[in-house]
Amino acid sequence: MSVSDTPTPSHTQTERVLSGMRPTGALHLGHYHGALKNWVRLQDELNCFYFVADWHALTTHYENREVIEKNVYEMVIDWLAAGLDPAKCTMFLQSRIPEHAELFTLLAMGTPIGWLERVPTYKDQQEKLKDKDLTTYGFLGYPLLQAADILIYRAKHVPVGEDQASHVELTREAARRFNHLYGREADFAQRVEASLEKLGKDGAKRFEKSRKKFQETGDTKSLEGAMDFINQHPDLDAAEKERLQGYFKGTGKAVLVEPQALLTEASRLPGLDGAKMSKSYNNAIAIREDKASIEQKIKRMPTDPARIKRTDAGDPARCPVWQFHKVYSNAETQAWADQGCRSAGIGCLDCKQPIIDAVLREQQPMLERAEPYVTNPAIVREIIDAGTDRARAVAQETMRDVRAAIGLAY
Ligand code: ATP
Ligand code: MG
C-alpha cells in the first residue's frame, strides 16, 4: 500500500472539523476512548482536519524536546491504528505550516492579556505540573495559538472535552473581535457592487429592498429569505456569499468564522490505579503496548484494599478493576464480577481475566492496522506530507484574506 493509491478526500461536506493532539508520549486507552474513537466516527461525517500539535507540546516540554521528536510519527501511527484513514481525513503537522504562527501574532495584537489569564486551564495546569516552570509567555498564550489553529481553517466544529470548552469560547471571542476590527475589506463597497451584479437586475433590486427592511425593522423573514437566495445562487462563490450576507446584515464580511465546540460526552477512562488514565500518572496502557506488559499491568492492578485474603468479601465500588468492567464488560460479566467479589466466590485474578481478554481483543485490530506503517514508516511520512499540503493550501487562502482585511497587502 502506498499513499498514492489512496484517493484524496472527496468530501462533499464543506463543514470542517479541527482537532489536534500533542505528541508528548505514546497514546493510551484514555486517549482512544476519550477522543480518538470520536475522531474516527467524525471522519465519515464531516471534513476532518487532525493535526500533530508539536508547538503545543513545546509549551510544556520546551526543555525536553527529544520526547516530541520521538513521538510525532509514533502518534500518527497510533491514529492510523485507531482507524483514522488518510482517504477520509486530513492529517498534518502544525510546525510545517508557519501560517499558524502568523495568525497567532496578528490575533495577539488585539487580545487583552486578561482573556488569557482567565482561561481556567492556565492556573490549573500550572498547579498540576509543578515540576515545570510554566510562567512563560508561550504557556500563557497557548489558547490563543489554539484559536489560530482553528480559525485558520475556518473550522465549524471543534471536538473537545469539557475541560477545553473555554478554549473554544476564547476562539469565538478572538474571531468576533477580529471581524469587528477588520471585517470590512478596504474595497468592500466595490466588491459588493460586483457581486450584486451577478444577482441580475431584478435579483439585486429585491435583495436591496429586503436588506432595507431588515436593517430598519429587524424582520427575520427578510433575513432568512435573502440568506437562502444568496446561498443557493449558482454564480456566487463562497467568499462572495459571505460578503453579501455581511452586507445584508450590516456586519461586513466575516473574515474569520466562529467555531462551535463539539462536546465529547464525558467518558473519562480510569487508569490502573483508579485515577484518570494519564501518562503523567504512570497508570496508563498504551494503545500498542505489548501483550505481556498489558497482562502484567492488569494482574498487578490494586483492588479493594479491604480484600486482603482470597476469602475476604470485597466491594466493587472501591476497586479500580470494577471501573474497567464498567467500560469493557457486558452486563452478564459485570454481574458475575459483582457477585463473585461481594461473596468472595471469585479471586481478584479471576475477576481481572475478562478485562485482560477484552483489552487485548480491542487492541488486536489496531495492531493489525498499525503493522504496515510500523514496518514501513516512510508511508506515514507520505501521509503527513500529503495532508500538510492540503492543509497549507487552506491556511494560505485564509491568510490572504486576513492580511487584506488588516490592510497588510501592500
Ligand atoms: P496525558 O493526560 O496522558 O498526559 P495529554 O495531557 O498530552 O495526555 P490531553 O490533552 O490530556 O493529553 O488529552 C488529549 C485528549 O484525550 C483530550 O481530548 C482528552 O480529553 C482525552 N483524554 C486523555 N486522557 C483521557 C482519559 N483518561 N479518559 C478519557 N479521555 C482522555
Ligand atoms: Mg492530560
Side-chain angles (χ1 to χ4, degrees):
M1 189 176 76
S2 97
V3 196
S4 43
D5 304 333
T6 53
T8 48
S10 58
H11 302 284
T12 45
Q13 311 95 323
T14 50
E15 296 206 350
R16 219 171 273 135
V17 170
L18 184 104
S19 204
M21 275 195 206
R22 299 169 352 118
T24 52
L27 294 188
H28 52 64
L29 298 178
H31 295 122
Y32 177 65
H33 285 275
L36 266 179
K37 243 174 24 183
N38 193 39
W39 285 18
V40 172
R41 187 175 58 76
L42 286 171
Q43 71 178 346
D44 288 319
E45 296 166 13
L46 294 160
N47 186 4
C48 294
F49 277 46
Y50 299 130
F51 72 104
V52 179
D54 54 342
W55 282 347
H56 285 288
L58 276 174
T59 62
T60 53
H61 287 60
Y62 55 90
E63 288 181 307
N64 4 47
R65 52 165 186 78
E66 333 66 65
V67 176
I68 300 169
E69 195 176 356
K70 185 169 149 262
N71 282 293
V72 164
Y73 290 105
E74 284 300 309
M75 185 170 79
V76 178
I77 296 181
D78 286 336
W79 289 359
L80 295 161
L84 286 190
D85 178 347
K88 294 180 177 172
C89 68
T90 296
M91 290 173 260
F92 67 98
L93 186 50
Q94 182 184 32
S95 62
R96 294 253 199 95
I97 307 185
E99 282 82 0
H100 288 229
E102 184 182 357
L103 183 56
F104 169 61
T105 301
L106 295 173
L107 293 175
M109 301 308 170
T111 300
I113 294 171
W115 285 12
L116 292 164
E117 286 170 333
R118 277 197 298 273
V119 172
T121 49
Y122 178 57
K123 292 249 156 58
D124 286 358
Q125 291 292 99
Q126 284 186 337
E127 284 289 308
K128 272 198 197 130
L129 306 175
K130 276 225 163 74
D131 55 321
K132 297 198 159 124
D133 180 3
L134 295 182
T135 58
T136 57
Y137 176 56
F139 188 71
L140 175 67
Y142 95 86
L144 193 65
L145 177 58
Q146 268 186 0
D149 300 331
I150 297 165
L151 296 172
I152 207 162
Y153 298 104
R154 295 182 161 131
K156 283 257 168 70
H157 308 282
V158 186
V160 285
E162 214 156 328
D163 50 330
Q164 299 257 316
S166 62
H167 295 185
V168 180
E169 198 40 54
L170 177 82
T171 305
R172 293 166 57 82
E173 280 172 25
R176 275 201 292 274
R177 189 166 178 92
F178 184 96
N179 290 334
H180 173 73
L181 289 170
Y182 311 115
R184 236 163 231 278
E185 304 142 299
D187 53 355
F188 185 73
Q190 288 104 294
R191 284 172 179 242
V192 165
E193 199 67 41
S195 304
L196 283 175
E197 266 174 36
K198 293 195 179 174
L199 301 181
K201 250 205 176 112
D202 277 356
K205 218 175 184 171
R206 269 192 293 134
F207 184 77
E208 281 295 5
K209 209 169 134 194
S210 77
R211 183 178 82 94
K212 253 205 169 124
K213 183 159 178 208
F214 172 71
Q215 295 202 351
E216 280 163 13
T217 67
D219 176 42
T220 51
K221 274 230 172 77
S222 309
L223 175 69
E224 282 162 22
M227 296 300 112
D228 283 350
F229 174 56
I230 294 301
N231 272 328
Q232 285 158 18
H233 205 286
D235 301 333
L236 300 171
D237 66 25
E240 288 173 314
K241 286 177 183 170
E242 221 187 290
R243 189 177 299 111
L244 278 187
Q245 290 175 353
Y247 170 66
F248 190 96
K249 297 181 204 159
T251 53
K253 174 175 178 271
V255 182
L256 298 177
V257 176
E258 283 182 48
Q260 299 286 346
L262 203 61
L263 278 182
T264 324
E265 67 200 90
S267 61
R268 169 169 296 206
L269 192 77
L272 296 162
D273 54 359
K276 178 187 167 186
M277 185 178 285
S278 164
K279 60 185 163 284
S280 28
Y281 303 159
N282 228 339
N283 65 355
I285 294 175
I287 288 182
R288 290 182 286 134
E289 187 145 342
D290 70 72
K291 187 176 170 209
S293 168
I294 293 178
E295 279 173 351
Q296 199 181 54
K297 279 185 175 177
I298 297 176
K299 283 184 178 161
R300 287 190 185 158
M301 270 176 83
T303 54
D304 176 359
R307 201 173 176 202
I308 301 163
K309 296 196 299 288
R310 164 73 173 75
T311 47
D312 296 333
D315 177 5
R318 281 186 289 173
C319 180
V321 179
W322 175 246
Q323 299 297 318
F324 271 73
H325 274 295
K326 288 208 276 195
V327 178
Y328 281 101
S329 300
N330 59 21
E332 196 188 333
T333 307
Q334 285 182 13
W336 166 82
D338 183 75
Q339 277 159 20
C341 179
R342 290 179 196 282
S343 64
I346 58 170
C348 292
L349 276 179
D350 303 323
C351 179
K352 287 170 173 178
Q353 193 55 47
I355 305 290
I356 294 175
D357 297 341
V359 169
L360 293 176
R361 206 162 41 235
E362 173 180 72
Q363 187 196 40
Q364 190 51 37
M366 298 207 245
L367 292 179
E368 282 164 22
R369 278 193 293 262
E371 201 272 331
Y373 304 112
V374 175
T375 44
N376 190 358
I379 311 176
V380 184
R381 285 173 190 259
E382 283 178 43
I383 289 171
I384 290 297
D385 286 348
T388 302
D389 285 345
R390 279 201 296 275
R392 187 183 295 112
V394 180
Q396 288 182 340
E397 189 185 309
T398 305
M399 286 316 294
R400 271 195 293 277
D401 289 353
V402 163
R403 288 185 214 113
I406 300 181
L408 294 171
Y410 9 83

